Amino acid sequence: MEQQTIIEQAEAVMATTYKRFPVVLTRGEGCTVWDAQGRAYTDFIAGIAVCSLGHCHPAVTEAICRQAGTLCHVSNLYYTVPQVELARWLVDHSFADRVFFCNSGAEANEAAIKLARKYFFDRGQPERYHIVAMNQSFHGRTLGTLSATGQEKIRKGFAPVLERFDFVPFGDIEALRRTVSEDTCAVMLEPIQGEGGVNCPPPGYLAEVRALCDRVGALLIYDEIQTGMGRTGTLFAYMHEDIAPDIMTLAKALANGLPIGAMCAREAVAAAFTPGAHATTFGGTPLVTAAALATARTLVDGGVLENGRAMGDYFKTALEGLRSRHGVIVDVRGRGLLLGVELDREGAPVVNACLEKGFLVNCIQDKVLRLAPPLVVGREQIDALVACLDQVLP
Ligand SMILES: *Cc1c(COP(=O)(O)O)cnc(C)c1O
C-alpha cells in the first residue's frame, strides 16, 4: 500500500491521541529504519529510549522466535522459566530483592504507588499515603500515575486525580525538606527527568533526598523507566552516585521493544505484596521475559553498555562544540545517551529539517531536542547527525 493511502486510512479510523509525522515505518535494522517508500532514516530516538540494542537485534529476535514456538503465555497461576531467570538477573544486577512484572511503565509505577501505600497500611499507618513528586516529572498516563505527574498540560481535563500528592522543584532539597513530613509515605522521582526536558539534579541531591527519607521513614521510589538499562551510561542511573532507592520501576528498554514493565523492591518493602494483593494477566509472560533476558545479557555481556557510555561522552562533546557555533543552543545536558539540547526557540522546525535529511530526532517541552539513539550507535552516525544539525540550526 502507498504511504499516503496508509496515512489517510489511519486518520479515518485511529483514535486521535497522537500527532504523527507523515511517515510510515515498515522495517528496522540496527540504528536504521525504513519507510514504506524505501527511504532510510538514522534513528536518534529509538522508540523513545526503548530499542537500545538497535532494531531487530539478532539475539532478541532469536529469543522471541524460539520462545514463540515453545510457550507464549500460561498466566501467573504457574511458574515459567524465563520469568524467573529475568527476575534473578535484575536482583543480581541491582539493589532489589524482588521483582513484580507488568506490561508498561505506567503499570510499574501504579504497582510502586500501591506497594508504598500497602507497606504503611501493614505497619498500622493506613492514613500515611502522602507522596511527594517533582515538578516537570512524568510517571505515566493512568489516573494513578497522572496524580504523580507534575505537568499541568498532561493532567488537564482529567481531574480529579488521587489525593495527597505534592510537588516540589526537582533538585531543590530545601523545598523537599519543607514538604516531606512524618505523614509522607514516599518520595517519587526520576534520577534524570526524561519527558520533562532531560533535567539532571545537582550533584549530591539524591544523597540528600535519601537521607531525608531515612530520617522521616519515608520510602524512596526511583522511576528508572527511561533512565534504566544502560541509557545514562551505567546499568541504572542510581549507580552514578550509588544512592539506591527502596523501589525502582523499569519498562521502556527492558525488552528492546516488547511491552514489559517491572517494579523492583527491597525485601522489607516487597513483603507488603502478599498473595492476592496485586496482579496482572499478562505480567511477565514467557515471551516478553525471554526477550528481556536476551536484551539484558546482550547489554551487559555483549559490550553494549560500554559502547553506550563511550558514545554518550563523544556525542555530548560534539553537541557542546555545536553549541559554541550556534547561539540558538542555550544548554546541552544529560548523561550517557540520554541527551538534551535546549534551544532559545521552538524545536519543531529543526526536527522536521532533520527528518527531511534522514534523521529521526525528538523535541520535548517545545524547545528541547532529545537525543536517545540505540546504545549500539557508532561515531559515524553521531558525526552525520551533528553535521546535519550544523546545517539546519540557525
Ligand atoms: C515512558 C515513561 C513512563 C510511562 O511508561 P508507559 O510504558 O508509556 O506507560 C513513566 N515514567 C517515565 C520516566 C517514562 O519515561
Side-chain angles (χ1 to χ4, degrees), residues 255-310:
N256 209 50
L258 265 65
I260 185 171
M263 195 258 329
C264 312
R266 294 182 195 278
E267 181 70 54
V269 182
F273 267 179
T274 46
H278 194 50
T280 168
T281 299
F282 292 121
T285 64
L287 187 67
V288 297
T289 46
L293 201 56
T295 302
R297 287 180 176 153
T298 306
L299 180 69
V300 171
D301 308 332
V304 177
L305 183 59
E306 281 97 286
N307 185 73
R309 189 182 317 141

Short mmCIF file of all heavy atoms in Angstrom, two decimals, residues 255-310:
data_model
loop_
_atom_site.label_atom_id
_atom_site.label_comp_id
_atom_site.label_asym_id
_atom_site.label_seq_id
_atom_site.Cartn_x
_atom_site.Cartn_y
_atom_site.Cartn_z
N ALA A 255 12.90 -4.88 27.32
CA ALA A 255 12.83 -6.00 26.36
C ALA A 255 13.08 -5.53 24.93
O ALA A 255 12.66 -6.18 23.98
CB ALA A 255 11.50 -6.73 26.48
N ASN A 256 13.77 -4.38 24.78
CA ASN A 256 14.16 -3.86 23.47
C ASN A 256 12.99 -3.62 22.51
O ASN A 256 13.17 -3.64 21.30
CB ASN A 256 15.21 -4.76 22.81
CG ASN A 256 16.13 -3.99 21.87
OD1 ASN A 256 16.67 -2.96 22.25
ND2 ASN A 256 16.29 -4.46 20.65
N GLY A 257 11.79 -3.45 23.06
CA GLY A 257 10.64 -3.14 22.19
C GLY A 257 9.41 -3.98 22.46
O GLY A 257 8.31 -3.63 22.05
N LEU A 258 9.56 -5.10 23.15
CA LEU A 258 8.37 -5.83 23.55
C LEU A 258 7.80 -5.18 24.82
O LEU A 258 8.54 -4.64 25.62
CB LEU A 258 8.67 -7.32 23.79
CG LEU A 258 8.38 -8.17 22.54
CD1 LEU A 258 9.30 -7.79 21.41
CD2 LEU A 258 8.45 -9.64 22.85
N PRO A 259 6.47 -5.21 24.99
CA PRO A 259 5.88 -4.49 26.13
C PRO A 259 6.10 -5.22 27.45
O PRO A 259 5.62 -6.34 27.64
CB PRO A 259 4.39 -4.44 25.77
CG PRO A 259 4.17 -5.58 24.85
CD PRO A 259 5.46 -5.82 24.12
N ILE A 260 6.82 -4.56 28.33
CA ILE A 260 7.07 -5.13 29.67
C ILE A 260 7.33 -3.99 30.64
O ILE A 260 7.88 -2.95 30.26
CB ILE A 260 8.28 -6.10 29.63
CG1 ILE A 260 8.47 -6.80 30.98
CG2 ILE A 260 9.55 -5.39 29.20
CD1 ILE A 260 9.51 -7.93 30.96
N GLY A 261 6.94 -4.19 31.89
CA GLY A 261 7.29 -3.28 32.96
C GLY A 261 7.75 -4.12 34.14
O GLY A 261 7.42 -5.31 34.24
N ALA A 262 8.52 -3.51 35.04
CA ALA A 262 8.96 -4.23 36.23
C ALA A 262 9.02 -3.27 37.40
O ALA A 262 9.42 -2.11 37.24
CB ALA A 262 10.32 -4.87 36.01
N MET A 263 8.58 -3.75 38.57
CA MET A 263 8.70 -2.98 39.80
C MET A 263 9.61 -3.79 40.72
O MET A 263 9.30 -4.92 41.07
CB MET A 263 7.32 -2.78 40.42
CG MET A 263 7.25 -1.73 41.48
SD MET A 263 7.22 -2.28 43.18
CE MET A 263 6.43 -3.80 43.18
N CYS A 264 10.76 -3.20 41.04
CA CYS A 264 11.79 -3.90 41.80
C CYS A 264 11.87 -3.27 43.20
O CYS A 264 11.85 -2.04 43.31
CB CYS A 264 13.14 -3.75 41.11
SG CYS A 264 13.11 -4.09 39.33
N ALA A 265 11.96 -4.09 44.24
CA ALA A 265 11.94 -3.53 45.60
C ALA A 265 12.82 -4.32 46.56
O ALA A 265 13.14 -5.48 46.32
CB ALA A 265 10.51 -3.49 46.12
N ARG A 266 13.18 -3.62 47.64
CA ARG A 266 13.90 -4.29 48.73
C ARG A 266 12.95 -5.24 49.44
O ARG A 266 11.75 -5.00 49.53
CB ARG A 266 14.36 -3.25 49.77
CG ARG A 266 15.38 -2.29 49.28
CD ARG A 266 15.77 -1.37 50.45
NE ARG A 266 16.49 -0.20 49.98
CZ ARG A 266 17.81 -0.20 49.72
NH1 ARG A 266 18.51 -1.29 49.88
NH2 ARG A 266 18.38 0.90 49.30
N GLU A 267 13.54 -6.25 50.05
CA GLU A 267 12.77 -7.30 50.71
C GLU A 267 11.71 -6.76 51.69
O GLU A 267 10.53 -7.13 51.61
CB GLU A 267 13.73 -8.25 51.46
CG GLU A 267 13.05 -9.40 52.17
CD GLU A 267 12.48 -10.43 51.20
OE1 GLU A 267 13.24 -10.92 50.35
OE2 GLU A 267 11.28 -10.73 51.29
N ALA A 268 12.13 -5.90 52.59
CA ALA A 268 11.22 -5.45 53.66
C ALA A 268 10.00 -4.73 53.09
O ALA A 268 8.92 -4.76 53.68
CB ALA A 268 11.97 -4.52 54.62
N VAL A 269 10.18 -4.07 51.93
CA VAL A 269 9.08 -3.34 51.30
C VAL A 269 8.25 -4.30 50.45
O VAL A 269 7.02 -4.32 50.52
CB VAL A 269 9.64 -2.18 50.43
CG1 VAL A 269 8.51 -1.39 49.81
CG2 VAL A 269 10.55 -1.29 51.26
N ALA A 270 8.95 -5.13 49.68
CA ALA A 270 8.28 -6.06 48.77
C ALA A 270 7.34 -7.01 49.51
O ALA A 270 6.34 -7.47 48.96
CB ALA A 270 9.32 -6.87 47.99
N ALA A 271 7.66 -7.26 50.78
CA ALA A 271 6.87 -8.19 51.59
C ALA A 271 5.42 -7.74 51.75
O ALA A 271 4.54 -8.55 52.06
CB ALA A 271 7.53 -8.36 52.97
N ALA A 272 5.14 -6.44 51.51
CA ALA A 272 3.77 -5.95 51.63
C ALA A 272 2.86 -6.47 50.51
O ALA A 272 1.64 -6.44 50.64
CB ALA A 272 3.75 -4.41 51.65
N PHE A 273 3.46 -6.91 49.41
CA PHE A 273 2.66 -7.53 48.34
C PHE A 273 2.46 -9.02 48.66
O PHE A 273 3.15 -9.89 48.14
CB PHE A 273 3.32 -7.34 46.98
CG PHE A 273 2.83 -6.11 46.22
CD1 PHE A 273 3.35 -5.80 44.98
CD2 PHE A 273 1.86 -5.27 46.76
CE1 PHE A 273 2.91 -4.68 44.27
CE2 PHE A 273 1.41 -4.14 46.06
CZ PHE A 273 1.95 -3.85 44.82
N THR A 274 1.47 -9.26 49.49
CA THR A 274 1.14 -10.64 49.87
C THR A 274 0.29 -11.27 48.76
O THR A 274 -0.25 -10.55 47.91
CB THR A 274 0.34 -10.61 51.19
OG1 THR A 274 -0.66 -9.59 51.07
CG2 THR A 274 1.25 -10.27 52.37
N PRO A 275 0.14 -12.59 48.73
CA PRO A 275 -0.63 -13.22 47.66
C PRO A 275 -2.03 -12.59 47.51
O PRO A 275 -2.74 -12.42 48.50
CB PRO A 275 -0.72 -14.68 48.10
CG PRO A 275 0.52 -14.88 48.90
CD PRO A 275 0.75 -13.58 49.63
N GLY A 276 -2.37 -12.21 46.28
CA GLY A 276 -3.67 -11.61 46.01
C GLY A 276 -3.68 -10.09 46.09
O GLY A 276 -4.63 -9.45 45.66
N ALA A 277 -2.62 -9.49 46.64
CA ALA A 277 -2.62 -8.04 46.81
C ALA A 277 -2.54 -7.30 45.48
O ALA A 277 -3.09 -6.21 45.34
CB ALA A 277 -1.46 -7.62 47.72
N HIS A 278 -1.85 -7.86 44.52
CA HIS A 278 -1.70 -7.19 43.23
C HIS A 278 -1.47 -8.25 42.16
O HIS A 278 -0.92 -9.32 42.46
CB HIS A 278 -0.53 -6.21 43.29
CG HIS A 278 -0.50 -5.24 42.15
ND1 HIS A 278 -1.61 -4.50 41.78
CD2 HIS A 278 0.48 -4.88 41.28
CE1 HIS A 278 -1.29 -3.73 40.75
NE2 HIS A 278 -0.03 -3.94 40.42
N ALA A 279 -1.89 -7.98 40.92
CA ALA A 279 -1.77 -8.98 39.86
C ALA A 279 -2.03 -8.35 38.51
O ALA A 279 -2.63 -7.28 38.42
CB ALA A 279 -2.79 -10.11 40.09
N THR A 280 -1.59 -9.02 37.46
CA THR A 280 -1.96 -8.66 36.10
C THR A 280 -1.83 -9.89 35.20
O THR A 280 -0.89 -10.66 35.34
CB THR A 280 -1.12 -7.47 35.55
OG1 THR A 280 -1.34 -7.38 34.15
CG2 THR A 280 0.36 -7.64 35.81
N THR A 281 -2.81 -10.05 34.31
CA THR A 281 -2.88 -11.25 33.48
C THR A 281 -1.59 -11.52 32.70
O THR A 281 -1.04 -12.60 32.74
CB THR A 281 -4.04 -11.12 32.46
OG1 THR A 281 -5.24 -10.99 33.20
CG2 THR A 281 -4.13 -12.34 31.55
N PHE A 282 -1.13 -10.48 31.98
CA PHE A 282 0.00 -10.71 31.07
C PHE A 282 1.36 -10.51 31.72
O PHE A 282 2.38 -10.77 31.09
CB PHE A 282 -0.10 -9.75 29.87
CG PHE A 282 -1.26 -10.03 28.96
CD1 PHE A 282 -2.22 -9.08 28.73
CD2 PHE A 282 -1.37 -11.27 28.33
CE1 PHE A 282 -3.28 -9.33 27.87
CE2 PHE A 282 -2.43 -11.53 27.47
CZ PHE A 282 -3.40 -10.56 27.24
N GLY A 283 1.41 -9.97 32.93
CA GLY A 283 2.68 -9.56 33.52
C GLY A 283 3.76 -10.63 33.46
O GLY A 283 3.64 -11.67 34.08
N GLY A 284 4.83 -10.35 32.72
CA GLY A 284 5.98 -11.25 32.67
C GLY A 284 5.72 -12.55 31.94
O GLY A 284 6.22 -13.59 32.36
N THR A 285 4.98 -12.50 30.84
CA THR A 285 4.78 -13.75 30.07
C THR A 285 6.13 -14.31 29.63
O THR A 285 7.11 -13.56 29.51
CB THR A 285 3.93 -13.52 28.80
OG1 THR A 285 4.67 -12.66 27.92
CG2 THR A 285 2.58 -12.93 29.12
N PRO A 286 6.17 -15.62 29.36
CA PRO A 286 7.42 -16.21 28.89
C PRO A 286 7.96 -15.49 27.66
O PRO A 286 9.17 -15.29 27.54
CB PRO A 286 7.03 -17.66 28.53
CG PRO A 286 5.81 -17.94 29.34
CD PRO A 286 5.11 -16.64 29.54
N LEU A 287 7.08 -15.05 26.76
CA LEU A 287 7.55 -14.40 25.53
C LEU A 287 8.32 -13.11 25.81
O LEU A 287 9.45 -12.94 25.36
CB LEU A 287 6.36 -14.11 24.60
CG LEU A 287 6.75 -13.59 23.22
CD1 LEU A 287 7.49 -14.66 22.41
CD2 LEU A 287 5.54 -13.09 22.47
N VAL A 288 7.72 -12.21 26.59
CA VAL A 288 8.39 -10.92 26.82
C VAL A 288 9.59 -11.06 27.75
O VAL A 288 10.59 -10.37 27.58
CB VAL A 288 7.43 -9.81 27.35
CG1 VAL A 288 6.35 -9.51 26.33
CG2 VAL A 288 6.83 -10.16 28.69
N THR A 289 9.51 -11.98 28.71
CA THR A 289 10.65 -12.11 29.62
C THR A 289 11.83 -12.80 28.92
O THR A 289 12.98 -12.49 29.22
CB THR A 289 10.27 -12.83 30.93
OG1 THR A 289 9.49 -13.99 30.63
CG2 THR A 289 9.47 -11.92 31.84
N ALA A 290 11.55 -13.69 27.98
CA ALA A 290 12.65 -14.29 27.19
C ALA A 290 13.33 -13.20 26.38
O ALA A 290 14.57 -13.16 26.29
CB ALA A 290 12.12 -15.40 26.28
N ALA A 291 12.54 -12.29 25.80
CA ALA A 291 13.11 -11.18 25.03
C ALA A 291 13.92 -10.27 25.95
O ALA A 291 15.02 -9.82 25.60
CB ALA A 291 12.01 -10.39 24.34
N ALA A 292 13.40 -10.01 27.14
CA ALA A 292 14.09 -9.13 28.09
C ALA A 292 15.40 -9.75 28.57
O ALA A 292 16.41 -9.06 28.72
CB ALA A 292 13.18 -8.82 29.28
N LEU A 293 15.38 -11.03 28.80
CA LEU A 293 16.59 -11.72 29.25
C LEU A 293 17.68 -11.64 28.18
O LEU A 293 18.85 -11.34 28.49
CB LEU A 293 16.22 -13.19 29.55
CG LEU A 293 17.13 -13.98 30.46
CD1 LEU A 293 17.32 -13.30 31.80
CD2 LEU A 293 16.53 -15.38 30.66
N ALA A 294 17.31 -11.87 26.94
CA ALA A 294 18.28 -11.76 25.84
C ALA A 294 18.78 -10.32 25.74
O ALA A 294 19.98 -10.08 25.52
CB ALA A 294 17.64 -12.20 24.52
N THR A 295 17.89 -9.36 25.95
CA THR A 295 18.27 -7.94 25.91
C THR A 295 19.27 -7.63 27.02
O THR A 295 20.33 -7.03 26.78
CB THR A 295 17.02 -7.05 26.07
OG1 THR A 295 16.09 -7.36 25.03
CG2 THR A 295 17.38 -5.58 26.02
N ALA A 296 18.94 -8.06 28.23
CA ALA A 296 19.78 -7.75 29.40
C ALA A 296 21.17 -8.37 29.25
O ALA A 296 22.19 -7.71 29.50
CB ALA A 296 19.10 -8.26 30.66
N ARG A 297 21.22 -9.61 28.81
CA ARG A 297 22.51 -10.30 28.67
C ARG A 297 23.36 -9.65 27.58
O ARG A 297 24.57 -9.49 27.74
CB ARG A 297 22.28 -11.78 28.38
CG ARG A 297 21.78 -12.52 29.61
CD ARG A 297 21.53 -13.99 29.34
NE ARG A 297 21.16 -14.67 30.58
CZ ARG A 297 20.41 -15.77 30.62
NH1 ARG A 297 19.96 -16.32 29.50
NH2 ARG A 297 20.12 -16.33 31.78
N THR A 298 22.73 -9.29 26.47
CA THR A 298 23.48 -8.66 25.38
C THR A 298 23.99 -7.29 25.83
O THR A 298 25.12 -6.90 25.52
CB THR A 298 22.58 -8.52 24.14
OG1 THR A 298 22.04 -9.79 23.82
CG2 THR A 298 23.37 -7.98 22.95
N LEU A 299 23.17 -6.58 26.57
CA LEU A 299 23.54 -5.25 27.05
C LEU A 299 24.82 -5.32 27.89
O LEU A 299 25.76 -4.55 27.68
CB LEU A 299 22.39 -4.69 27.89
CG LEU A 299 22.55 -3.30 28.49
CD1 LEU A 299 22.56 -2.24 27.40
CD2 LEU A 299 21.43 -3.01 29.48
N VAL A 300 24.86 -6.25 28.83
CA VAL A 300 25.98 -6.30 29.78
C VAL A 300 27.13 -7.16 29.24
O VAL A 300 28.28 -6.72 29.24
CB VAL A 300 25.50 -6.82 31.15
CG1 VAL A 300 26.68 -7.08 32.08
CG2 VAL A 300 24.56 -5.78 31.77
N ASP A 301 26.82 -8.36 28.78
CA ASP A 301 27.89 -9.27 28.35
C ASP A 301 28.37 -8.97 26.94
O ASP A 301 29.48 -9.36 26.56
CB ASP A 301 27.42 -10.74 28.44
CG ASP A 301 26.83 -11.07 29.81
OD1 ASP A 301 27.24 -10.42 30.79
OD2 ASP A 301 25.95 -11.94 29.89
N GLY A 302 27.56 -8.30 26.15
CA GLY A 302 27.91 -8.04 24.76
C GLY A 302 28.59 -6.70 24.52
O GLY A 302 28.78 -6.30 23.39
N GLY A 303 28.93 -5.99 25.62
CA GLY A 303 29.67 -4.74 25.48
C GLY A 303 28.84 -3.53 25.06
O GLY A 303 29.38 -2.47 24.77
N VAL A 304 27.52 -3.68 25.01
CA VAL A 304 26.67 -2.59 24.54
C VAL A 304 26.65 -1.43 25.55
O VAL A 304 26.68 -0.25 25.18
CB VAL A 304 25.24 -3.08 24.24
CG1 VAL A 304 24.34 -1.93 23.82
CG2 VAL A 304 25.27 -4.15 23.16
N LEU A 305 26.60 -1.79 26.82
CA LEU A 305 26.60 -0.77 27.88
C LEU A 305 27.84 0.13 27.77
O LEU A 305 27.74 1.36 27.79
CB LEU A 305 26.54 -1.48 29.24
CG LEU A 305 26.45 -0.64 30.50
CD1 LEU A 305 25.22 0.24 30.50
CD2 LEU A 305 26.44 -1.54 31.73
N GLU A 306 29.02 -0.50 27.60
CA GLU A 306 30.26 0.29 27.47
C GLU A 306 30.23 1.17 26.23
O GLU A 306 30.65 2.32 26.26
CB GLU A 306 31.50 -0.62 27.35
CG GLU A 306 31.99 -1.19 28.65
CD GLU A 306 31.46 -2.59 28.85
OE1 GLU A 306 30.26 -2.74 29.15
OE2 GLU A 306 32.23 -3.55 28.68
N ASN A 307 29.73 0.60 25.12
CA ASN A 307 29.66 1.41 23.90
C ASN A 307 28.76 2.62 24.11
O ASN A 307 29.11 3.73 23.71
CB ASN A 307 29.15 0.57 22.72
CG ASN A 307 29.18 1.36 21.42
OD1 ASN A 307 30.24 1.61 20.86
ND2 ASN A 307 28.02 1.81 20.96
N GLY A 308 27.63 2.39 24.77
CA GLY A 308 26.69 3.49 25.01
C GLY A 308 27.34 4.59 25.84
O GLY A 308 27.15 5.78 25.57
N ARG A 309 28.11 4.18 26.85
CA ARG A 309 28.76 5.17 27.71
C ARG A 309 29.79 5.97 26.91
O ARG A 309 29.82 7.20 26.97
CB ARG A 309 29.43 4.47 28.89
CG ARG A 309 29.95 5.42 29.95
CD ARG A 309 30.65 4.67 31.09
NE ARG A 309 29.91 3.49 31.47
CZ ARG A 309 30.44 2.31 31.80
NH1 ARG A 309 31.75 2.15 31.82
NH2 ARG A 309 29.70 1.28 32.12
N ALA A 310 30.62 5.26 26.13
CA ALA A 310 31.66 5.93 25.34
C ALA A 310 31.04 6.85 24.30
O ALA A 310 31.45 8.00 24.12
CB ALA A 310 32.56 4.89 24.68
#
